[in-house]
Amino acid sequence: MRSLRRTRRVLQGDLARDIALVLLADGIVGVSFGAIAVGSGLPVWLPMLLSLLVFAGAAQFLFVGIIAAGGNPVAAVLAGLLVNARHVPFGFAIGDVLGSGWRKWAGTHVMIDESVAFALAQHDAERRKAAYWACGVGLFVCWNVGVALGAVAGTAVSDTAALGLDAAFPAVLLALVLPSLRDKATAAAALVGVAVALVATPVLPAGLPVLLALLALPIALVLRGTRAPATVHAGESRESGRHDDPAPSGEATGEETSCPSR
C-alpha cells in the first residue's frame, strides 16, 4: 500500500496524462487486434492467449498475419522473436527499475516500447520506476481487455481497418514524440529512420522496418558528439578572454574612491 501511494504521488500532471492517453490508444488497438485475429478465421481463445503470454503488439500482429496467410507456425514464432529482439537492449537500459525476484520477472513481462520510453524520459530514479510500472501494468490490463472485447466482436466487425482503429495508436505516439524533435540531432535521426522504414515496408514483414530504422541512431550520436566539442571550445574562449582582458586597476580604484556609496 505504501508503494502504491508513493506511485500515485509521483504520477501527477503531464506524466499521468500522457500515460493515460497511451493506455486508451493501446486498448483501442487491442480491440482491433482481437477482431482482426478472429476475422481471419482464428479461434477466439488464440489472440487472448497470445496477449497474456506474449504481450507484444507488433509480434502478435506478425504472428497472426503469418498464420492467417497459411504460413508455418515455427516461422511465425521465429519472426515474432526477431521483432522482439529490441527488448535485449531495453533490458540493459532500464535494468535498475525492475527490482529483483518475482518483481524482475513481472517487470520483464511488461517491458514494451511504451513503458521503456516513459521510464527513460524521466531523470529522477523514483519517477522512472513509477512511470515504468504504471505504464507497463496499465498497458497489460488495457491491452488484454481490448483484445478480449475485439475477439468477441470479431465475427460482427471483421474489417476493423475500415474504422480507422489502427491509426489511433501511432497518432498518440506521434503527439508524444513531437516535442523531442526540437533537438536538431534527434530530428535528423528521426527523419532518416522514417525514410529507412518507409523504403523497407513494402519488401519486409511487419515490424522489421522499425528495427532497420534504428540504424539512424548513430546519426544523433555523431551530431551530438560534434556539437559538444564546439560548446567546450566556446566556453574555453570565454574563460581565456576573461583572463586576458582584465579591467584597468587604476580606473576601477578611481571609481571606487570617487563614489564610495556605490
Side-chain angles (χ1 to χ4, degrees):
M1 290 296 295
R2 185 181 303 173
S3 177
L4 181 60
R5 286 195 296 268
R6 184 165 58 249
T7 301
R8 291 178 59 184
R9 175 177 56 81
V10 174
L11 293 176
Q12 294 179 351
D14 294 344
L15 180 58
R17 180 203 62 195
D18 292 343
I19 292 177
L21 288 174
V22 172
L23 297 185
L24 175 62
D26 199 77
I28 294 175
V29 177
V31 173
S32 174
F33 170 73
I36 289 174
V38 175
S40 300
L42 300 177
V44 174
W45 58 266
L46 182 57
M48 297 182 185
L49 184 64
L50 281 174
S51 298
L52 287 172
L53 299 181
V54 179
F55 186 50
Q60 290 180 229
F61 272 105
L62 182 57
F63 179 89
V64 168
I66 293 175
I67 296 298
N72 190 311
V74 176
V77 171
L78 292 177
L81 290 174
L82 180 60
V83 170
N84 281 346
R86 67 190 186 279
H87 288 190
V88 175
F90 284 174
F92 289 106
I94 50 90
D96 59 313
V97 306
L98 297 179
S100 59
W102 67 269
R103 289 185 179 86
K104 189 171 186 177
W105 289 98
T108 302
H109 191 57
V110 298
M111 183 190 299
I112 54 176
D113 302 74
E114 296 84 356
S115 58
V116 172
F118 274 111
L120 294 179
Q122 314 308 315
H123 300 291
D124 178 72
E126 184 180 13
R127 194 173 171 90
R128 274 166 56 95
K129 185 177 294 186
Y132 179 84
W133 283 99
C135 184
V137 174
L139 284 177
F140 183 79
V141 173
C142 291
W143 176 260
N144 281 278
V145 170
V147 170
L149 293 175
V152 172
T155 55
V157 184
S158 58
D159 188 11
T160 54
L163 301 178
L165 295 178
D166 294 341
F169 194 47
V172 173
L173 286 181
L174 179 61
L176 295 176
V177 167
L178 281 177
S180 64
L181 297 182
R182 296 171 183 172
D183 180 72
K184 293 182 179 180
T186 303
L191 289 176
V192 174
V194 168
V196 171
L198 289 176
V199 172
T201 296
V203 296
L204 292 178
L208 294 184
V210 177
L211 290 177
L212 283 181
L214 294 176
L215 296 176
L217 286 177
I219 296 177
L221 297 177
V222 170
L223 291 177
R224 291 179 185 276
T226 55
R227 188 172 57 185
T231 305
V232 172
H233 291 323
E236 291 177 352
S237 299
R238 286 193 296 269
E239 291 292 334
S240 61
R242 202 173 294 147
H243 291 295
D244 293 342
D245 299 318
S249 57
E251 294 179 6
T253 305
E255 288 181 2
E256 291 292 329
T257 304
S258 59
C259 301
S261 61
R262 194 175 62 184

